[in-house]
């Protein structure tokens, strides 16, 4: 690819970039890339992007490589990579084995953002022949022989077996199928572009109403996009999409791959990285007790002045007997609070009240005998509102611990 680019554009318009992963064969590939760069007289740059050997190595290395190159590109530059039709066939087969959707089965895109792959229609053998005919030096990556990697086993074992015993031209057929699927996927992609998605603070929010009105393939594409935006290692796993649709059906939070959580937040389906924090441990308190919650100190006391009957950010009054025990905990998924006639989701109240989404599951709920009496500073259940008759207990915030 480097030699072809120099032939087409001249060596002043082309430069070579090598990403060093620090793997056992990296020094061989780096030396080969440097020799070739000298041969065609182009600038040569090495980017350090070390990865540790171990599970999922190929995906981790690919992610680091693209990130390193993207951050290195100057304004107006594009990056060309030498993926071949063989790479395309292997990719499509791997994704088929993993149950990918149309976006996965479309294979490697010829162009995405500032990355171009001009040789996707050229076979590996044809490129090797081109290099040999013109005495262009090249080095085979020894890791391509490592049977630990699925791609290598498909390349050296499964695809040759299928072509010899079952379907001659199997590689070409995979590439052809990928092109057909890519055309269909483009239509879905265009429709998915019309779905409003909000990305901010490590969260992706999608309107539930829109997901229910668009065709399933479009909704699936939007969900896959959300997952990919949160973790570039995501490869379109079918199970994660099913789990997301289950959240739409029953409203229960679910954990997906790569430490992503999916939940409903009012009218939005939300994907977010799992928080490193956990809600404080629930506790039970009575009148006269003090306790800590979320970095704040609180006390439980009886009301002794008219202002104690007013709900505020500082105090939450509850109609209760002084002997009652109060269960202090976070606002759980699906919890509701009674509002007179019927009830309303507690977390929806927090959303309307302007509580940031990443704080809602840490917000204090106050319950009596398992029944939510109040959401701190936001709402008191109809049955727990203070009256002129009977006693009132106040849960009052005192300051930071």
């Amino acid at each position: 690819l480097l030699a072809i680019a120099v032939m087409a554009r001249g060596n002043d318009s082309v430069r070579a970039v090598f990403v060093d992963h620090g793997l056992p064969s990296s020094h061989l590939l780096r030396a080969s890339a440097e020799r070739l760069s000298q041969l065609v007289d182009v600038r040569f740059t090495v980017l350090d992007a070390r990865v540790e050997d171990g599970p999922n190595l190929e995906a981790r290395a690919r992610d680091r490589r693209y990130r390193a190159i993207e951050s290195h590109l100057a304004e107006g530059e594009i990056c060309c990579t030498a993926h071949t039709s063989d790479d395309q066939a292997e990719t499509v087969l791997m994704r088929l084995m993993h149950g990918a959707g149309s976006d996965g089965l479309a294979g490697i895109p010829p162009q995405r953002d500032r990355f171009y792959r001009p040789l996707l229609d050229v076979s590996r053998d044809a490129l090797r022949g081109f290099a040999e005919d013109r005495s262009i030096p090249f080095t085979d990556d020894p890791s391509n022989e490592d049977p630990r990697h699925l791609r290598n086993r498909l390349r050296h074992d499964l695809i040759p077996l299928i072509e010899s015993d079952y379907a001659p031209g199997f590689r070409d057929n995979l590439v052809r199928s990928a092109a057909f699927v890519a055309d269909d996927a483009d239509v879905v992609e265009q429709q998915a572009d019309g779905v409003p998605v909000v990305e901010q603070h490590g969260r992706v929010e999608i309107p539930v109403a829109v997901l229910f009105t668009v065709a399933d393939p479009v909704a699936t594409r939007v969900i896959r996009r959300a997952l990919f935006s949160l973790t570039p290692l995501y490869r379109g796993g079918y199970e994660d999409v099913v789990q997301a649709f289950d959240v739409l059906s029953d409203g229960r939070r679910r954990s997906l791959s790569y430490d992503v959580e999916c939940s409903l937040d009012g009218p939005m389906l939300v994907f977010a990285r799992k928080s490193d924090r956990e809600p404080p441990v629930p506790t039970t308190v009575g009148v006269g007790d003090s306790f800590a919650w979320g970095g704040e100190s609180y006390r439980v006391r009886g009301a002794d002045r008219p202002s104690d009957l007013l709900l505020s950010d500082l105090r939450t009054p509850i109609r209760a007997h002084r002997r009652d025990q109060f269960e202090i905990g976070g606002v759980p998924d699906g919890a509701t609070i009674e509002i007179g006639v019927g009830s309303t989701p507690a977390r929806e109240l927090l959303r309307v009240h302007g509580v940031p989404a990443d704080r809602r599951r840490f917000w204090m709920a106050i319950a009596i005998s398992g029944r939510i009496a109040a959401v701190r500073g936001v709402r008191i259940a109809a049955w727990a509102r203070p009256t002129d008759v009977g006693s009132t207990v106040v849960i009052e915030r005192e300051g930071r611990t």
Side-chain angles (χ1 to χ4, degrees), residues 18-35 44 46-53 57 61 65 139-144:
F18 178 81
V19 181
D20 191 339
H21 291 312
L23 296 170
S25 58
S26 292
H27 68 288
L28 299 175
L29 301 175
R30 175 173 175 168
S32 177
E34 188 168 13
R35 283 196 305 272
F44 177 70
V46 176
L47 304 180
D48 185 35
R50 304 279 166 152
V51 292
E52 296 296 326
D53 199 357
L57 174 61
R65 185 161 58 249
T139 297
D140 289 317
D141 185 351
S143 68
N144 288 336

Side-chain angles (χ1 to χ4, degrees), residues 368-383:
I368 300 175
S369 300
R371 190 180 181 190
I372 292 185
V375 176
R376 184 193 71 78
V378 174
R379 179 67 63 89
I380 304 169
W383 58 270

Side-chain angles (χ1 to χ4, degrees), residues 234-263:
Y234 173 72
R235 290 294 171 257
Y238 174 72
E239 184 58 33
D240 284 335
V241 177
V242 172
Q243 293 268 60
F245 277 110
D246 287 342
V247 173
L248 285 172
S249 298
D250 60 26
R252 292 173 51 201
R253 178 189 304 270
R254 284 174 171 80
S255 295
L256 310 183
S257 303
Y258 303 104
D259 289 329
V260 172
E261 283 188 337
C262 180
S263 61

Side-chain angles (χ1 to χ4, degrees), residues 1-2 4-5 15 17 19 62 65-66 69-70 73 78-85 87 108-112 114-122 127:
L1 175 63
L2 181 60
I4 293 170
R15 64 191 184 97
V17 174
V19 181
R62 179 171 53 247
R65 185 161 58 249
Y66 277 100
I69 295 173
E70 188 168 28
L73 287 175
I78 64 168
C79 174
C80 294
T81 66
H83 290 88
T84 67
S85 61
D87 295 315
I108 306 169
Q111 184 265 325
R112 177 179 287 159
R114 298 169 72 182
F115 291 91
Y116 288 74
R117 302 169 183 93
L119 302 179
L120 274 179
D121 292 331
V122 183
L127 281 187

